[in-house]
Amino acid sequence: MPAAVLLAWQLTTSALPPSRFDELAPGRPRTELAPLLPDRAYPYPPDHARSAPRPPGTTCEFYRSGRDLLDEVDLYRLCWSGERLVAKDTVPMKSR
């Protein structure tokens, strides 16, 4: 049972509402965007999401697009170069 509680916590605390995702403008520094981001990134993006092409020299983080625990929701990918957001996109949870 504790593992299920931990998983539920991880899934809900890594959700980025669509309205906040829309507010994230590439080119802005992380310090400005931090108040809009969840406390943690989604720790379990599927392989196709992790291996998707990304801008060179960036580190990408994933966030769930919703808090629904029963349905798979798409992921938001934010790619950072240093402390600056350089790209954002939506990645389907399932490979298409």
Side-chain angles (χ1 to χ4, degrees), residues 15-49:
L16 179 63
S19 60
R20 288 218 173 152
F21 177 75
D22 291 343
E23 292 180 53
L24 301 174
R28 292 178 58 194
R30 186 185 290 267
T31 53
E32 286 181 20
L33 300 176
L36 300 174
L37 298 174
D39 291 337
R40 55 185 286 108
Y42 179 59
Y44 311 113
D47 289 340
H48 75 274

Side-chain angles (χ1 to χ4, degrees), residues 1 8 13-14 23 32 39 45-46 68 80:
M1 183 69 149
T13 59
S14 62
E23 292 180 53
E32 286 181 20
D39 291 337
D68 192 335
W80 305 87

Side-chain angles (χ1 to χ4, degrees), residues 2 8 12 15-16 18 22-25 28 30 36 49 52 55 57 59-60 65 68 75 78 82 84 86 94-95:
T12 58
L16 179 63
D22 291 343
E23 292 180 53
L24 301 174
R28 292 178 58 194
R30 186 185 290 267
L36 300 174
T59 302
C60 299
S65 62
D68 192 335
L75 299 176
L78 304 179
R84 191 161 301 278
V86 295
K94 290 187 176 189
S95 179

